[in-house]
Amino acid sequence: MSSPPHSAATPLGEYLARAGGYFHPALVSKQDDCGTSVFNGPEPLKAGAKVVNCPFSLAVTPTLARRCIPTSLFSASPSSGRKSRQPNHELMALYLCLHTLPPSTVSRIPGLDLEHRTYIEHLPGAATMRTTLYFSPRERELLRGSNLHGATDEREQGWRDEWDEVRGWLQDEKVRSELGWDKWLWACTILSSRAFPSSLIDGDKDNSTPVLFPGIDMLNHRPTAKVTWSSDVRSVAPSGTDGDGGDKGSLTIVLDEDVGAGEQVFNTYGAKSNEELLLGYGFVLSPNPAAVFALKLALPPSCPPLLLSLLDTLSLSNTRHFVPPSGTLPPALLAQMRLVVAQPDELDAVEARAVDADGARPKWEDVAGFVSWENELDVLDALEGMLHSKLRALQQGAAAGGGAAAADGVRPEVARMVEVYRQGQVDILEAAIRYRERLFEETVAKAEEEGVSLAFEDDDMEDIEEEEEEDEDEGEEEDGEESEEE
């Protein structure tokens, strides 16, 4: 069996070197079913080693795509049909797709400049993709009941809309027919799984767009990897260039820790949940320190204008929240729910407190941190229904997907990834349910301390009594076990 090639000696390594970039000479590239990984050689690498460098001149940016794709290809100037959106993503994906067209089709496009053939040839193909949009219909059934099921459908619809839009730009029928959904899906997946922010080139974080850095994107993700993205910006990109810094500057991955002999060299993509990893990258982590459960609060269909106004005034308009593994419910979610379940007179009182904030924008912590004891119980009651509903959906989806996992058309590695993701979601929800129960007990205790007698529905009292009986039974069982041991 031949030794894996040194990364610097691969076509991609030579491509980088011709432009002034490099792979560290100790690195080797190993191929497996999921693509190429980068490993250290037989000697340890010390912290401070520069493992890979990509000149900005090789970066794939929206500006480069505009420069390389001739306007003669379009029947009209490319523009997005979506409001407040420039077609950067569409142009980047189209640029990648054009590299994959047959030579006979490419020759029909005079002035087309495909500068990244070597890089494109080194990228993983569709056969190695494991993102949820590459799941078979049976594999998608494994996601039913989870947030990822809807997120996958939503992403596919968005990318298909882009694909239809881009094909509408093209005036050459041959090019249009060759630009199939399979090519578009591949290009969009490359962007979702390998792009970096353009602010690494121009420093403009407010208007950052996704860009690709050949070579830099070869390192796989490990959340605890200690590295620095060292951006050597030697010129300031003109305003509106979408991160194109010309030929000046480069991006380098620098190790901030030692890497042992023969060990894989990792990058870190930041804190990403398994939902984000599986949707955009095609893998999961177990355990994942960045695991979260996404909760989106649905506002009432006939939302009172005052409620909407308060949510805006208190900077509580974002109804999407993330619950960590501890199950701790986000305070902003609780504040929103206090307003949603509040009685009209309670909303008026909240508005009065907001107005009394000396003209400054009030903080929701000061205004909606507490409304009334009855309101608190209403919030916790609504939360109980929400959390149990989410948990049932996950459990029922798991039961329905169990048959699919054992059926033909489901890859074992996909079934394993989905199980890791789903179990992580179940664990967080169960922790959130326990957290809500503690909040309920604390709320009742605090109200009683203030001399407030809270009224419970009969069903609520039965639930409380059942919980107390279960606690007593568990205590008796533990006492019995201790006696037997003695």
Side-chain angles (χ1 to χ4, degrees), residues 138-439:
R138 286 184 180 274
E139 289 170 344
R140 281 208 191 183
E141 282 301 305
L142 300 178
L143 300 173
R144 190 165 296 280
S146 71
N147 290 334
L148 196 46
H149 188 269
T152 299
D153 291 343
E154 183 178 342
R155 172 162 289 190
E156 178 174 2
Q157 186 59 57
W159 285 357
R160 283 188 179 274
D161 288 345
E162 286 184 347
W163 175 55
D164 287 337
E165 187 173 58
V166 170
R167 292 170 78 238
W169 298 345
L170 305 176
Q171 63 177 349
D172 189 303
E173 179 59 35
K174 179 66 173 176
V175 176
R176 190 184 305 117
S177 64
E178 291 283 358
L179 186 62
W181 166 245
D182 58 334
K183 287 183 170 58
W184 190 258
L185 173 59
W186 170 82
C188 290
T189 304
I190 289 296
L191 290 174
S192 78
S193 62
R194 308 178 82 86
F196 288 75
S198 64
S199 57
L200 291 168
I201 297 177
D202 58 21
D204 185 0
K205 295 183 179 180
D206 293 334
N207 299 294
S208 189
T209 62
V211 298
L212 297 171
F213 291 103
I216 298 288
D217 59 2
M218 294 302 299
L219 303 184
N220 291 328
H221 171 59
R222 192 188 75 201
T224 57
K226 296 178 181 179
V227 298
T228 294
W229 297 357
S230 178
S231 182
D232 173 22
V233 182
R234 294 197 291 269
S235 68
V236 178
S239 176
T241 58
D242 297 320
D244 189 345
D247 295 335
K248 303 293 181 68
S250 63
L251 178 64
T252 307
I253 301 294
V254 183
L255 295 181
D256 292 333
E257 61 183 350
D258 295 348
V259 175
E263 293 182 357
Q264 186 171 173
V265 180
F266 288 99
N267 190 6
T268 177
Y269 305 164
K272 295 188 181 296
S273 68
N274 278 340
E275 186 167 308
E276 186 176 358
L277 290 174
L278 193 50
L279 177 66
Y281 297 82
F283 66 91
V284 295
L285 298 175
S286 180
N288 186 344
V292 293
F293 186 92
L295 270 180
K296 186 172 183 180
L297 178 63
L299 297 178
S302 55
C303 209
L306 178 54
L307 172 59
L308 294 175
S309 174
L310 284 171
L311 290 173
D312 180 63
T313 299
L314 300 175
S315 301
L316 287 172
S317 297
N318 184 5
T319 57
R320 185 173 172 83
H321 303 276
F322 299 95
V323 182
S326 65
T328 303
L329 295 168
L333 169 64
L334 299 177
Q336 289 171 337
M337 295 188 70
R338 291 186 188 105
L339 299 180
V340 168
V341 304
Q343 299 299 315
D345 61 320
E346 291 176 328
L347 279 181
D348 291 338
V350 172
E351 182 186 31
R353 291 199 295 273
V355 170
D356 291 341
D358 300 327
R361 193 174 184 89
K363 295 181 179 180
W364 63 259
E365 294 91 338
D366 300 330
V367 177
F370 179 81
V371 174
S372 71
W373 292 113
E374 289 291 346
N375 176 270
E376 286 294 294
L377 290 185
D378 288 341
V379 167
L380 294 172
D381 185 57
L383 271 171
E384 181 180 31
M386 179 194 302
L387 295 173
H388 279 284
S389 174
K390 295 286 187 182
L391 182 59
R392 280 194 301 272
L394 274 172
Q395 292 170 335
Q396 291 169 358
D408 293 337
V410 175
R411 291 164 289 181
E413 66 271 22
V414 168
R416 286 193 296 270
M417 289 193 300
V418 173
E419 177 57 27
V420 169
Y421 160 68
R422 185 185 292 276
Q423 188 57 53
Q425 297 287 276
V426 168
D427 291 344
I428 294 175
L429 275 176
E430 290 178 340
I433 289 171
R434 293 192 295 271
Y435 181 83
R436 189 219 70 91
E437 291 171 353
R438 291 195 297 273
L439 282 183

